Amino acid sequence: MEQNRNDNKKPGDGNKPRISFWFLLVITVALILIINSVFNFAKNSQFTQTTLSQFLEHQENGTLAEVEFRYDRIVYLTKEEAAKPASQQKAFYTGLPSGTDTYALAETLRSAGVTVNKQIVEDNSTVTMILTYVIMFGVLFGGMSMLTRKMGGGGIMGSVGASRAKMYMEKQTGVTFQDVAGQDEAKESLQEIIDFLHNPQKYAAIGAKLPKGALLVGSPGTGKTLLAKAVAGEANVPFFSISGSDFVEMFVGVGASRVRDLFQQAAKVAPCIIFIDEIDAVGRSRDARYGGNTEQEQTLNQLLGEIDGFDSSKGIVCLAATNRPEILDKALLRPGRFDRQIVVDKPNLQGRLDTLKVHTRKIKLSEDVDLQKLAQATAGAVGADLANLVNEAALRAVRQGRQAVNQEDLLVSFETVIAGTEKKNTVLTDTEKRMVAYHEVGHALVAALEKHSQPVTKITIVPHTSGALGYTMHMPEEEKYLQTSQELITELKTLVGGRAAEEIVFGTQTTGAANDIQRATALARNMITQYGMSEALGLMAPVSVQHQYLEGNAYLDCSQETAATVDREVQKLLGKCFSEAKTLLTENRELLDEIALHLLNKETITGDELMAFIQKPAEEV
Ligand code: ADP
Ligand code: ZN
């Protein structure tokens, strides 16, 4: 999904602070060297260097007048020089061999009548050294604090963190709305932003309030990033992208400085688009309910500040993506910030067909490819799944040495992508196989008998890596926006049909039905608590739904008593559906056996084959 990102990485973007850091270091070192040499110069310029033997000669000849021991050298005055007026005196120095016992030497010299200076162990270079360090730290800290103040606080770590910001900038995304299939409503909402980026002055002239940001809301893989890129592409402006999770680091203050950095970079090249993926990572509500976090709060505050702060007449538009708008902090959604929410839905039949067309544009397809059929079979798949599917199909065609992709490639890849890859080598015992076969046929047969039409495209007992031992692929003939209570009950019966078959045939229950039971329970609960489909509660909805988008979370909002009633009603509904499914399968036991046996032999049967079994006895009557 993010494969484009790395290609567009501009390593230079986040590096400025690091350069400053090294620059500072170089300056410090240079200063130290200069200070050192100046001191050495000052120290040595007053004296003339001599060799140690010259000094010893003076000592032997008794021509020494005065001697002074320093840290690493001996400074001395000869009698000849000492006789001169003070201003014309010339002192000499020589290195002091390490390990010299200066006290003993001083004693010897003194007894020979030489004045030994009091500064005998006073250490002039230590002073130099201390001074050097003081200056060094002074420069380092002074520079650092200047640097961090410039970048927005956060201490020294701020500069370290900022240098690693994973921000990507694309001068041109090269993506246009043509590359985004479907999503017409989203495109329409974004059209205005594009117009604005083309011509910010037009809006400013009228005094229209300019949009600062929009929030793209939708499940993963529905094309939010793609849409944002397309907006940049259509408006022909640079595209900055960063993920919300990149802001959140261990060190307090790093996130905030990254936010500041991002907006600073963007301001330089405006008009442009800033895209923040997974904004929920930073934009999570500051309520304690979701766990407080200082770093995240600080980052969010900085983000809010930047959004309020930038001058939108310059043409910066901030797009953000999330699949959990309900956990976002309310402050982010206030007018003037991300007040526009653009829903990016999972594609419907037409949308899936268009997406498949977009992704097969550059792929050689053989004659037998029927994208319409594939689109029908992929209900629930998002754009990313479909893109992946097409690519897998192309890879399969290459593996098999063909020139073009055929329908089989597409169907097989569909299974790979949607249901995991076939694991032919996973061995099921014969009993297990029989159980799986009956379970799957149980689902399919209930559905077929209830709907009086072909309910599935395929039933298989070939295990998949996803963990499903077998599965039944349902085929919605038409896109449904409304469902009647009868249809929902049929769905419930179909879901529990697997377990019903297990009980009828083997008199036992298996773990394979766990997922069915969960789905059935969720559906039954929704029917009772949200759709007003139970007698006991009538039209009362004992839950409040927190957000309308996506598969919404509902929270119970009623008395304990009502909650208990809900549970009882769910149980009752499921029990009723289960016993009806069981009755239905018992009445059609022969059919069940027949189809299950066939499935056991062939491992995979199609919807048409299933219908042939069911319609046979009907025709005979
Ligand atoms: P999101 O940001 O919503 O998680 P992406 O934008 O990263 O999803 O989508 C991932 C990939 O899926 C895209 O690069 C594209 O190939 C494909 N895709 C998703 N939606 C569409 C669409 N509507 N039309 C064409 N391709 C799509
Ligand atoms: Zn099942």
Side-chain angles (χ1 to χ4, degrees):
M1 243 185 280
E2 310 282 313
Q3 68 271 54
N4 297 333
R5 287 282 177 87
N6 289 333
D7 306 342
N8 306 314
K9 191 172 174 180
K10 290 272 175 353
D13 289 342
N15 280 353
K16 211 187 76 198
R18 181 164 27 191
I19 289 169
S20 313
F21 175 78
W22 288 118
F23 183 65
L24 213 64
L25 208 71
V26 168
I27 290 211
T28 313
V29 170
L31 261 176
I32 290 169
L33 289 179
I34 290 171
I35 288 164
N36 239 333
S37 62
V38 165
F39 260 86
N40 274 334
F41 180 70
K43 203 158 57 186
N44 296 339
S45 61
Q46 318 157 13
F47 314 122
T48 312
Q49 188 175 12
T50 64
T51 59
L52 185 62
S53 36
Q54 274 173 302
F55 168 76
L56 293 174
E57 225 170 273
H58 282 300
Q59 190 195 350
E60 270 170 35
N61 298 344
T63 47
L64 281 177
E66 222 175 290
V67 166
E68 186 180 314
F69 288 104
R70 295 202 177 172
Y71 168 65
D72 58 348
R73 64 198 64 194
I74 309 166
V75 178
Y76 61 94
L77 210 60
T78 55
K79 280 186 173 153
E80 188 187 341
E81 292 292 328
K84 293 179 183 173
S87 61
Q88 287 168 30
Q89 279 176 3
K90 210 163 103 199
F92 302 94
Y93 77 93
T94 184
L96 182 68
S98 59
T100 311
D101 185 347
T102 42
Y103 284 98
L105 184 57
E107 210 38 52
T108 322
L109 288 167
R110 212 158 50 83
S111 50
V114 179
T115 315
V116 178
N117 208 306
K118 279 192 191 128
Q119 280 183 317
I120 200 156
V121 275
E122 201 254 6
D123 187 349
N124 216 359
S125 353
T126 314
V127 177
T128 321
M129 246 160 57
I130 290 170
L131 211 68
T132 312
Y133 282 122
V134 165
I135 291 176
M136 182 174 84
F137 282 113
V139 168
L140 261 178
F141 274 101
M144 275 295 185
S145 66
M146 238 167 62
L147 201 74
T148 44
R149 206 175 313 136
K150 212 174 72 199
M151 290 187 330
I156 291 174
M157 285 309 173
S159 65
V160 176
S163 65
R164 292 195 291 111
K166 302 178 200 87
M167 180 171 65
Y168 305 105
M169 203 268 268
E170 288 175 58
K171 279 240 161 59
Q172 280 172 328
T173 59
V175 179
T176 66
F177 275 167
Q178 280 194 337
D179 301 303
V180 188
Q183 307 297 1
D184 292 330
E185 283 166 46
K187 284 182 194 170
E188 206 177 307
S189 317
L190 291 167
Q191 192 61 50
E192 199 189 2
I193 291 182
I194 294 168
D195 190 46
F196 161 63
L197 285 169
H198 270 309
N199 202 347
Q201 293 81 18
K202 186 174 90 186
Y203 287 75
I206 295 184
K209 254 200 134 195
L210 305 154
K212 279 191 169 175
L215 191 64
L216 300 167
V217 179
S219 315
T222 45
K224 298 181 293 295
T225 311
L226 192 68
L227 267 168
K229 279 190 182 176
V231 171
E234 291 279 333
N236 200 15
V237 298
F239 180 77
F240 283 89
S241 90
I242 191 162
S243 174
S245 52
D246 292 341
F247 287 132
V248 183
E249 287 274 338
M250 271 166 60
F251 304 118
V252 172
V254 175
S257 75
R258 283 185 184 172
V259 170
R260 183 178 313 225
D261 197 40
L262 173 68
F263 279 82
Q264 260 171 11
Q265 302 277 332
K268 281 185 204 149
V269 295
C272 66
I273 297 265
I274 295 176
F275 178 66
I276 304 174
D277 206 356
E278 301 171 48
I279 195 171
D280 37 286
V282 260
R284 229 175 323 130
S285 168
R286 284 167 289 190
D287 279 1
R289 185 151 55 112
Y290 299 107
N293 176 343
T294 345
E295 160 65 350
Q296 183 239 326
E297 275 179 27
Q298 204 172 324
T299 310
L300 176 56
N301 287 337
Q302 183 70 36
L303 183 63
L304 293 174
E306 291 290 344
I307 291 171
D308 288 342
F310 74 73
D311 179 4
S312 55
S313 65
K314 293 232 174 65
I316 299 177
V317 171
C318 196
L319 296 177
T322 182
N323 55 353
R324 301 195 293 170
E326 76 282 358
I327 68 163
L328 290 183
D329 199 283
K330 295 283 173 293
L332 259 180
L333 308 175
R334 268 207 285 274
R337 293 169 182 164
F338 293 102
D339 49 350
R340 293 178 183 211
Q341 295 207 8
I342 296 173
V343 179
V344 186
D345 274 326
K346 284 190 177 178
N348 60 12
L349 180 61
Q350 189 59 44
R352 291 198 302 275
L353 183 59
D354 291 342
T355 310
L356 285 170
K357 280 182 183 158
V358 164
H359 286 282
T360 49
R361 262 196 316 223
K362 285 182 191 148
I363 292 196
K364 284 208 189 93
L365 298 177
S366 67
E367 302 270 289
D368 70 330
V369 169
D370 185 349
L371 291 181
Q372 175 79 31
K373 235 184 187 166
L374 191 62
Q376 256 172 5
T378 46
V382 295
D385 294 335
L386 297 173
N388 197 356
L389 185 160
V390 170
N391 193 46
E392 285 288 327
L395 290 177
R396 184 173 187 267
V398 173
R399 270 202 301 274
Q400 305 202 345
R402 270 181 280 105
Q403 301 292 318
V405 172
N406 61 26
Q407 184 77 354
E408 202 202 328
D409 292 330
L410 289 166
L411 289 176
V412 169
S413 325
F414 167 47
E415 286 173 22
T416 321
V417 172
I418 313 282
T421 42
E422 286 189 334
K423 275 201 308 188
K424 295 256 186 203
N425 52 358
T426 301
V427 204
L428 287 184
T429 65
D430 281 350
T431 327
E432 279 171 337
K433 245 185 184 170
R434 260 164 60 79
M435 283 184 171
V436 174
Y438 270 101
H439 178 104
E440 295 302 329
V441 174
H443 285 306
L445 193 56
V446 171
L449 292 171
E450 285 277 319
K451 287 184 188 164
H452 308 292
S453 66
Q454 180 188 332
V456 296
T457 49
K458 170 177 167 168
I459 312 169
T460 176
I461 54 169
V462 177
H464 282 62
T465 40
S466 64
L469 294 179
Y471 61 94
T472 306
M473 225 175 259
H474 294 270
M475 182 168 80
E477 286 85 30
E478 47 187 312
E479 290 287 317
K480 280 253 160 96
Y481 293 102
L482 275 183
Q483 282 183 304
T484 63
S485 56
Q486 285 81 4
E487 282 167 341
L488 291 178
I489 290 195
T490 303
E491 213 174 312
L492 280 182
K493 285 191 203 167
T494 307
L495 280 171
V496 296
R499 165 58 62 86
E502 288 171 12
E503 287 199 359
I504 294 167
V505 180
F506 304 98
T508 182
Q509 296 153 343
T510 73
T511 52
N515 184 255
D516 299 337
I517 292 169
Q518 264 174 23
R519 282 168 57 197
T521 309
L523 177 58
R525 192 170 281 276
N526 281 351
M527 287 170 69
I528 286 154
T529 60
Q530 288 184 49
Y531 312 147
M533 290 177 182
S534 90
E535 273 175 30
L537 290 175
L539 283 180
M540 176 190 167
V543 296
S544 26
V545 180
Q546 290 269 315
H547 58 115
Q548 331 44 341
Y549 310 110
L550 319 164
E551 297 85 51
N553 277 351
Y555 300 96
L556 267 185
D557 185 11
C558 61
S559 71
Q560 300 246 322
E561 210 177 313
T562 315
T565 315
V566 168
D567 289 340
R568 263 197 308 280
E569 285 291 291
V570 171
Q571 223 167 16
K572 217 167 82 185
L573 179 59
L574 287 174
K576 181 167 152 276
C577 290
F578 183 65
S579 70
E580 282 180 22
K582 229 171 147 177
T583 314
L584 193 66
L585 288 177
T586 315
E587 284 167 3
N588 292 278
R589 176 65 198 261
E590 272 179 34
L591 206 50
L592 179 66
D593 288 337
E594 227 179 310
I595 303 170
L597 189 69
H598 187 63
L599 178 60
L600 264 175
N601 290 335
K602 290 193 61 190
E603 294 210 335
T604 304
I605 60 174
T606 65
D608 291 333
E609 282 175 278
L610 176 74
M611 291 317 283
F613 276 105
I614 293 168
Q615 277 150 7
K616 200 170 49 186
E619 280 157 14
E620 283 167 3
V621 173

